Amino acid sequence: MAAGVSLALWYAGLSTLLQNAFVLTPRNGQLKQPTFWIGVLLIVTSSLAVAISVGRFGGRRAFTFLGGGFLGLAALSLFASWFFGIDILFTPIALAAFMSATTMQVKRLRDQDQELTEHLIVSLSKLDSRKANDAEHRLLSGLKLLENVLSPTEAVVFRRDGLGKLVSSARLRVSGGSDTGRNSAWREGVSLCERAMAAGELIVEKIESPDSSTNIALPLRHENRTVGALLLRVTQDFGDDDRTLLTAVGGQMARNLQREEAHNLTDHQSSLDFFSAKASQHRLQSLYVLNGALLEQSVGVNALSEIGDGVALAYLDGRIAYANASLLALANLTQDQTRDISFFDLLNSFRTDVFDEPAIAVRRVLQTSEAYERELHFADRNETYGLRISLVEGDSRRASNLEVTRQGDAPQPLCLALVIRDLTLIKEYDQLKSDMISLMSHELRTPLTSINGFAELLTQDETLPEQAREFVTIIANESQRLSRMINTFLAVTKLQRKDRQEVLKIPLRLDEVVRETVASMQPVAKKRRIRLVELPTQGLPPVAADKSMISQAVKNLVSNAIKYSPERTTVTVSTALEAEAVRLSVEDRGYGIPAEVRDRVWEKFYRVVREGEDKDEESTGLGLSFVREVVEQHGGTVDLNSEVGRGSKFSFTLPRL
Ligand code: ADP
């Protein structure tokens, strides 16, 4: 285009005047003009050369050789005209080159500007992605917070509209509140806000009204710019403490208002944006919003100072990004010292025999992205800490730029995290628990066995009076019950501590287990006048399981079904084949279990309290927790359907072989 314009000027003879300045009257007096096509060639080639060099090297770098070329060409023009009487078309060429360079430079600037805008819009849309009307929602939420803490009768957030007038952006009116709805009161509020915004400070003004309320106007400032105002009307006293509170909330509201403003100027991009002051204004607004968002993003890290565990974050170059007070105390460091040390130095202060090579641990975490966990015991202080080093990964869509977004959403490693948790107390409780268990399994069982043994001996003694024999029988039965309870408790506890692999699994046919259990439970069922039936499925595949454990679990379910059903009802034990598992169900027409405790019946010691039900002597609340523990150890799941007054269906699955 530049070449075309310049050619036209030349051809029309409009550049002749200027041209004459760069040619000398030749010695032979005759100045030869090049032909039209040579002119086209010269002008087009030079424009293209200039455009390419500016495009390639940028305006500033190209300027040096373009300047040199200009001077050289001027000299050449004078020389050629003086000696050879040839006009080399210096002015049209220079004009074309100048226009070409300018156009190219403007194009480059515009491209970059467009890219910048595009990035800004993408970054902004990431902020707003969660909700279309996020900004308004945030403003209202801020007002609700004020409603809770200051109970104003009215709260309004104002912003300036296109004409510079204050308009309401969000409003909260408490029913039965003030009369700000009236025009005069509204105008009063607006003018108070105007004054507060002009003064740049909070203004409190008592108003003459029967409920002696106070108007408060707070300018909302973000990035040193007043973006709006908050008007509150309260009936209670407004003290200095409340000022601090309001200023704090006001800061957040200003950010929200800024967000709304930016949201309203949505992105109708055009290629002329580069020349538009309004478009630049939009971009500036977007930057304000992004700065506000940056501040909000620091919420997460700063909250870490409030937690009891020691937490440190390190950039992937080993610098420490953050360490909370608990961690500094544990590592015996001050905040200033963390600036000079690396993540490895920090880890070194937790070195023990189980954690003697921090570098290897970090390397493994970086290689595998899997957390590294160790329990550190410091014998000198008698303290135990849980150490965890992990790689924190960010959502690539949020953390990165456009390019990465296009590549896909693979998580992007952000930083390394170190968490140190004090386990000393937990360890003490653990110790207490195992002491308890060993007390139960040895110390309690031994005297119980002898009480039971001697009581049984005495029941055989014919010489004892009738009543004494009755008492001794009670002692014998009760001591047996106690030892059964201890055994169940120990069985559950032992199962919980066991590694899953330790359960001895051999092929087992569940229908056989059902047959045996039903047969062994028939006498108990008969005693309670309950019909106990089995409903086996033919051709069931075997499961891999420990027979005695599974039999005990089924027995617990059947005995519960009998125990918690009224007389003359039926208990059905059935098996069924599912996709990858075999299911065993025990169904009764008994009392049922209320929905709200349905999950809790599987807990240790949990018992359902039913009105009018006798306190069952044999009940320990351990039976179902044993069932669940056994089933889960085998890789299965438990399930319960129940309706109060109608009955229950307890079932479990075991993976088929
Ligand atoms: P226990 O029977 O020794 O009390 P469980 O762990 O076996 O302990 O059962 C926990 C609670 O679940 C019991 O207190 C009982 O009220 C309730 N429950 C268990 N099975 C049934 C059932 N089939 N029908 C109604 N309630 C049941």
Side-chain angles (χ1 to χ4, degrees), residues 112-263:
Q112 279 171 11
D113 179 83
Q114 221 162 21
E115 198 177 326
L116 180 80
T117 313
E118 218 172 289
H119 273 79
L120 264 179
I121 289 171
V122 169
S123 307
L124 214 58
S125 69
K126 278 184 208 156
L127 287 180
D128 273 340
S129 62
R130 269 173 294 170
K131 232 180 217 150
N133 56 354
D134 191 37
E136 195 191 334
H137 169 79
R138 284 163 160 254
L139 282 175
L140 273 176
S141 157
L143 290 180
K144 290 231 174 71
L145 183 136
L146 287 178
E147 183 188 3
N148 286 326
V149 293
L150 289 178
S151 31
T153 47
E154 175 151 23
V156 192
V157 178
F158 287 103
R159 67 174 168 84
R160 288 210 188 279
D161 66 2
L163 302 171
K165 259 177 51 183
L166 280 187
V167 289
S168 142
S169 220
R171 185 172 180 195
L172 191 95
R173 201 160 5 158
V174 181
S175 57
S178 69
D179 55 352
T180 358
R182 282 189 318 157
N183 270 344
S184 60
W186 182 261
R187 275 201 302 276
E188 221 172 86
V190 171
S191 87
L192 189 67
C193 284
E194 290 281 11
R195 270 190 285 146
M197 285 170 79
E201 59 181 26
L202 187 138
I203 300 183
V204 180
E205 199 172 72
K206 281 238 173 288
I207 22 180
E208 303 293 321
S209 70
D211 55 0
S212 71
S213 47
T214 312
N215 265 347
I216 302 151
L218 172 77
L220 300 176
R221 292 177 66 78
H222 177 64
E223 299 261 320
N224 289 330
R225 211 169 65 95
T226 308
V227 289
L230 168 73
L231 177 72
L232 281 189
R233 176 180 263 228
V234 293
T235 44
Q236 64 198 27
D237 277 345
F238 185 79
D240 271 350
D241 290 349
D242 295 327
R243 267 174 193 265
T244 327
L245 179 159
L246 205 57
T247 320
V249 180
Q252 178 66 46
M253 282 192 159
R255 284 195 288 280
N256 296 344
L257 200 60
Q258 176 69 63
R259 213 174 239 238
E260 190 191 56
E261 222 172 303
H263 186 78

Side-chain angles (χ1 to χ4, degrees), residues 560-561 563-564 588 592-593 601 606-608 610 618-625 648 650:
N560 274 353
K563 214 164 35 167
Y564 302 110
D588 62 52
I593 296 167
V601 291
Y606 186 81
R607 293 163 66 183
V608 182
R610 290 189 184 84
E618 275 296 322
S619 187
T620 55
L622 286 169
L624 288 179
S625 66
S648 322
F650 283 85

Side-chain angles (χ1 to χ4, degrees), residues 434-577:
S434 46
D435 289 351
M436 261 294 282
I437 291 168
S438 74
L439 175 89
M440 282 176 96
S441 45
H442 306 293
E443 320 299 320
L444 284 187
R445 270 211 291 201
T446 326
L448 250 184
T449 321
S450 59
I451 291 173
N452 184 250
F454 286 114
E456 294 223 321
L457 262 182
L458 280 179
T459 54
Q460 316 290 321
D461 189 346
E462 304 283 332
T463 61
L464 277 184
E466 186 62 25
Q467 202 181 22
R469 284 235 319 251
E470 191 189 318
F471 290 167
V472 168
T473 314
I474 295 177
I475 294 176
N477 287 343
E478 289 297 287
S479 56
Q480 255 176 24
R481 193 166 85 88
L482 195 54
S483 87
R484 271 202 302 277
M485 277 162 70
I486 291 178
N487 287 344
T488 325
F489 176 78
L490 287 176
V492 176
T493 317
K494 214 163 89 192
L495 261 182
Q496 279 179 336
R497 313 192 126 211
K498 237 185 211 170
D499 239 351
R500 269 156 212 256
Q501 278 80 35
E502 271 182 55
V503 186
L504 184 70
K505 293 176 189 163
I506 48 169
L508 175 71
R509 307 201 71 89
L510 273 188
D511 33 3
E512 254 168 45
V513 175
V514 171
R515 194 172 321 125
E516 285 169 21
T517 316
V518 167
S520 77
M521 295 297 287
Q522 281 302 357
V524 190
K526 268 212 182 82
K527 220 159 81 191
R528 304 254 347 222
R529 293 168 197 273
I530 281 174
R531 211 162 72 89
L532 177 59
V533 292
E534 85 189 76
L535 215 78
T537 303
Q538 295 302 318
L540 217 54
V543 295
D546 179 322
K547 184 170 181 191
S548 70
M549 281 186 180
I550 297 292
S551 302
Q552 185 60 48
V554 180
K555 206 166 154 194
N556 285 4
L557 292 181
V558 176
S559 113
N560 274 353
I562 296 173
K563 214 164 35 167
Y564 302 110
S565 295
E567 290 189 352
R568 283 181 237 290
T569 53
T570 309
V571 171
T572 319
V573 188
S574 58
T575 46
L577 179 61

Side-chain angles (χ1 to χ4, degrees), residues 22-178:
F22 291 93
V23 287
L24 296 173
T25 316
R27 282 185 300 192
N28 55 14
Q30 194 58 41
L31 191 63
K32 269 189 272 163
Q33 288 287 331
T35 65
F36 174 73
W37 287 111
I38 291 186
V40 170
L41 189 74
L42 282 175
I43 291 174
V44 170
T45 320
S46 52
S47 314
L48 276 178
V50 168
I52 290 171
S53 61
V54 172
R56 182 87 184 265
F57 303 109
R60 190 182 311 186
R61 271 205 286 164
F63 184 76
T64 330
F65 13 97
L66 291 186
F70 176 82
L71 292 178
L73 203 65
L76 188 68
S77 173
L78 292 174
F79 182 77
S81 56
W82 172 251
F83 287 108
F84 305 109
I86 300 173
D87 182 0
I88 61 161
L89 295 186
F90 172 74
T91 312
I93 290 178
L95 202 65
F98 173 73
M99 285 193 290
S100 170
T102 316
T103 319
M104 199 61 197
Q105 186 66 0
V106 169
K107 180 184 172 307
R108 290 180 67 231
L109 288 179
R110 204 207 60 170
D111 285 352
Q112 279 171 11
D113 179 83
Q114 221 162 21
E115 198 177 326
L116 180 80
T117 313
E118 218 172 289
H119 273 79
L120 264 179
I121 289 171
V122 169
S123 307
L124 214 58
S125 69
K126 278 184 208 156
L127 287 180
D128 273 340
S129 62
R130 269 173 294 170
K131 232 180 217 150
N133 56 354
D134 191 37
E136 195 191 334
H137 169 79
R138 284 163 160 254
L139 282 175
L140 273 176
S141 157
L143 290 180
K144 290 231 174 71
L145 183 136
L146 287 178
E147 183 188 3
N148 286 326
V149 293
L150 289 178
S151 31
T153 47
E154 175 151 23
V156 192
V157 178
F158 287 103
R159 67 174 168 84
R160 288 210 188 279
D161 66 2
L163 302 171
K165 259 177 51 183
L166 280 187
V167 289
S168 142
S169 220
R171 185 172 180 195
L172 191 95
R173 201 160 5 158
V174 181
S175 57
S178 69

Side-chain angles (χ1 to χ4, degrees), residues 553 556-557 602 623-632 638 652:
N556 285 4
L557 292 181
W602 303 101
L624 288 179
S625 66
F626 178 84
V627 175
R628 182 169 71 174
E629 212 44 63
V630 166
V631 169
E632 287 181 356
V638 290
F652 63 79

